[in-house]
Amino acid sequence: MRVAVVGSGYVGLVTGACFADVGHEVILVDNDANKLASLQNGDVPIHEKFLPELLERHRGGRIKFSGDLLSATQQSDAVFIAVGTPPTEHGDADLSYVESVAHEISAGIKRYKVIVEKSTVPVYTSQWIRTILTRNGADPAQFDVVSNPEFLREGTAVTDFLYPDRIVVGVESEKAAEVMRELYAPLTSGWYYGRADSIPAPEPAKVPPRLIITSTKSAELIKHASNAFLAMKISFMNAVASICESVGANVEQVKDGIGSDSRIGPKFLNPGIGYGGSCFPKDLMAFRAVAKENGYDFRLLEEVIRINEEQRHRFMRKARSVLWTFRGKRIGVLGLAFKGGTDDIRESPAMLLVQDLLREGCHICAYDPAAIERSKEVLKTGVEFAKDAYQTAKGADALMILTEWEEFASLDLERLRSLMKFPIILDGRNLYDPTVMAQHGFTYHSIGRASVPAEVARLEKKLERA
Ligand SMILES: NC(=O)c1ccc[n+]([C@@H]2O[C@H](COP(=O)([O-])OP(=O)(O)OC[C@H]3O[C@@H](n4cnc5c(N)ncnc54)[C@H](O)[C@@H]3O)[C@@H](O)[C@H]2O)c1
């Protein structure tokens, strides 16, 4: 099929590349001339596993890049809208980018096509898109608006798209449902997974995925409710971690006990410095706003947001209790991205903490495997960027682990300690075992777990050897 994807960001680029890989002809559209030029030059503007391979495989073949939205619309059977939906100052979603795309494509609808919301949007958006298209002259018989929310996670976006838990499609007509079934048939029929050159499956992947057909309103709600539920799990665990700290329990043990219940599951129960990124914070606010507009005061979401913010403040208080004063201290920072595996720093708790530390007068030496270039655009002064984790440790009064990159979980601890001025680690992601850290001579503080005094750790090591 011929597919236009409007917006070549994290979602649009991955959607376009994956649709091309399953056999469709894709035109990726963006109105950012620099981004288009770099994509046309063969650059990959975001850090995402398997994306460079897919773009390389299909660039100039099944994938074309264009700034001409009207022509891309005319040529396509399906137009995916994957532009940003940032929050307004009131917390609801700013849908002006979506509206502007709907306006622009209306003149290109001359034969039947589906217009697909891929962006995360509040309930009723599909109706608005329909109104805008019709208002601007599109014949209502020549299009349907479909909601097809995207559940990919940055860092594993390509495999999330190709090996999804489910595909949700919200439609108001059988004709639109048929187009969407055909688009996803390479995945839902299992054909893609039998191919020799398919992108390898993550562990565990349940294939083929289920296609869930709903009304457009239900599909819109499924996306907001899913993100709100996941954020709630994180905040719940962070609240439990705070109680663990008060009573001297170990949150990792508690997490294991809770997560082993199949009704709860182990995912999204990692305590830390809070969720971030371009989705959870804005989607929670938007969901709360849309609920309110429709007569429901969703206070639970307010509490989820409050716990999340408090988590960062708790971490700062913990740092203060260890370091006493901040001014002039040299802090090594491991991780700037909002989570491991991505270069995205939008609403990153790590970035917010670094900014707090800078305001307190700390000197920061930071390292991130992928997010340094983006961070430099935001952290213009007071931050030194290191080439690896060990360089951040050099002469540091303390080291903070703020993003759960895999490489931060397997550092050479002896080397790290030998480089630091004081062997103090504040781990906001619980990547290490407190006893092991104490055995290596670190004063180690994490989330929801007591720190182990060095003498106890040494005794435990002695007993282990005996
Ligand atoms: N990032 C994620 O992990 C994720 C996951 C699921 C859903 N979503 C949702 O998908 C949507 C897009 O998110 P993203 O992270 O890809 O955003 P992004 O900011 O990375 O990308 C948006 C792109 O749209 C382009 N754009 C804006 N207006 C345009 C127009 N009129 N014509 C053509 N291009 C235009 C921008 O230049 C940009 O390249 C959002 O609604 C987001 O909530 C994001």
Side-chain angles (χ1 to χ4, degrees):
M1 295 181 85
R2 288 169 174 271
V3 180
V5 181
V6 192
S8 301
Y10 285 87
V11 169
L13 205 49
V14 169
T15 301
C18 291
F19 272 146
D21 206 44
V22 305
H24 301 306
E25 298 283 332
V26 177
I27 305 175
L28 270 157
V29 183
D30 208 284
N31 63 358
D32 177 337
N34 291 335
K35 192 177 264 189
L36 266 185
S38 92
L39 284 164
Q40 272 154 347
N41 272 342
D43 299 338
V44 185
I46 57 171
H47 177 89
E48 202 55 67
K49 203 171 171 194
F50 297 122
L51 188 60
E53 286 95 312
L54 288 187
L55 291 178
E56 184 62 35
R57 209 182 264 186
H58 301 295
R59 189 181 283 111
R62 286 208 288 268
I63 293 184
K64 298 202 169 50
F65 299 105
S66 168
D68 187 346
L69 178 52
L70 199 58
S71 155
T73 304
Q74 282 162 346
Q75 294 173 55
S76 300
D77 307 305
V79 180
F80 280 73
I81 303 177
V83 297
T85 49
T88 68
E89 61 191 57
H90 309 295
D92 52 344
D94 177 356
L95 298 171
S96 57
Y97 301 93
V98 175
E99 179 175 359
S100 124
V101 172
H103 184 184
E104 275 186 67
I105 62 178
S106 46
I109 301 177
K110 300 290 179 217
R111 60 179 173 85
Y112 181 78
K113 52 196 77 215
V114 293
I115 311 303
V116 189
E117 304 169 346
K118 197 60 162 161
S119 300
T120 301
V121 289
V123 67
Y124 289 123
T125 302
S126 70
Q127 286 188 3
W128 271 110
I129 294 177
R130 186 168 189 84
T131 305
I132 297 300
L133 290 172
T134 315
R135 219 178 251 174
N136 286 284
D139 175 357
Q142 296 298 345
F143 72 88
D144 272 305
V145 181
V146 174
S147 167
N148 174 216
E150 184 47 60
F151 300 99
L152 63 77
R153 296 158 299 173
E154 287 175 21
T156 52
V158 168
T159 46
D160 286 345
F161 190 97
L162 292 169
Y163 297 86
D165 290 336
R166 78 305 204 187
I167 298 160
V168 173
V169 165
V171 289
E172 299 303 325
S173 80
E174 183 45 38
K175 195 172 177 184
E178 209 32 62
V179 176
M180 296 306 287
R181 277 194 203 99
E182 200 180 328
L183 260 170
Y184 282 105
L187 301 183
T188 53
S189 67
W191 171 82
Y192 180 75
Y193 310 114
R195 250 175 45 182
D197 62 347
S198 61
I199 293 293
E203 283 293 328
K206 240 193 346 203
V207 292
R210 190 177 154 216
L211 184 77
I212 302 176
I213 305 257
T214 68
S215 70
T216 46
K217 283 184 199 160
S218 298
E220 288 164 339
L221 274 175
I222 287 169
K223 176 62 192 177
H224 264 165
S226 298
N227 274 3
F229 194 85
L230 293 170
M232 183 181 74
K233 271 185 105 175
I234 296 172
S235 278
F236 182 86
M237 209 57 218
N238 279 333
V240 172
S242 301
I243 302 169
C244 287
E245 282 178 17
S246 307
V247 304
N250 179 332
V251 74
E252 295 299 327
Q253 294 171 355
V254 175
K255 181 185 97 180
D256 189 27
I258 301 175
S260 303
D261 186 325
S262 61
R263 293 168 302 177
I264 297 172
K267 291 184 180 164
F268 280 77
L269 287 180
N270 290 332
I273 50 173
Y275 60 76
S278 68
C279 292
F280 285 2
K282 86 167 167 64
D283 291 349
L284 257 75
M285 286 198 296
F287 194 25
R288 184 164 189 274
V290 80
K292 203 166 206 163
E293 243 173 71
N294 289 282
Y296 185 74
D297 189 6
F298 209 152
R299 286 202 210 155
L300 175 63
L301 298 186
E302 211 166 287
E303 193 54 19
V304 170
I305 296 167
R306 191 197 64 76
I307 293 171
N308 194 57
E309 277 163 15
E310 172 59 14
Q311 205 58 14
R312 221 174 54 240
H313 303 316
R314 278 181 77 87
F315 191 75
M316 273 298 274
R317 288 200 293 275
K318 194 174 285 179
R320 198 186 288 281
S321 75
V322 178
L323 295 168
W324 190 24
T325 63
F326 282 131
R327 186 161 301 283
K329 297 260 161 80
R330 187 179 169 85
I331 311 288
V333 166
L334 295 183
L336 295 163
F338 84 92
K339 63 171 185 173
T342 179
D343 59 347
D344 198 344
I345 53 165
R346 292 179 284 184
E347 299 295 319
S348 165
M351 290 289 287
L352 295 171
L353 273 166
V354 167
Q355 283 161 330
D356 287 345
L357 291 165
L358 287 172
R359 270 190 292 274
E360 294 281 352
C362 292
H363 181 83
I364 305 290
C365 181
Y367 170 69
D368 187 286
I372 288 184
E373 285 315 307
R374 286 187 196 275
S375 304
K376 279 182 183 168
E377 290 164 21
V378 180
L379 304 169
K380 295 209 169 33
T381 52
V383 178
E384 208 180 294
F385 292 96
K387 66 172 184 0
D388 62 23
Y390 301 102
Q391 204 180 345
T392 64
K394 226 170 171 183
D397 289 281
L399 198 65
M400 290 189 180
I401 303 177
L402 302 183
T403 307
E404 69 281 32
W405 280 97
E406 265 175 42
E407 69 173 74
F408 297 159
S410 55
L411 295 170
D412 177 341
L413 297 175
E414 290 304 320
R415 184 172 166 208
L416 206 63
R417 200 195 50 197
S418 70
L419 289 165
M420 294 178 73
K421 184 167 166 198
F422 300 113
I424 299 171
I425 293 190
L426 287 136
D427 182 355
R429 299 295 184 177
N430 284 6
L431 298 189
Y432 288 95
D433 179 332
T435 306
V436 172
M437 293 307 270
Q439 285 169 349
H440 280 84
F442 285 103
T443 300
Y444 174 79
H445 297 268
S446 55
I447 310 287
R449 301 180 298 177
S451 14
V452 179
E455 47 293 2
V456 176
R458 275 196 293 272
L459 184 68
E460 282 189 16
K461 198 164 193 180
K462 231 187 221 169
L463 290 172
E464 239 173 59
R465 282 206 200 104

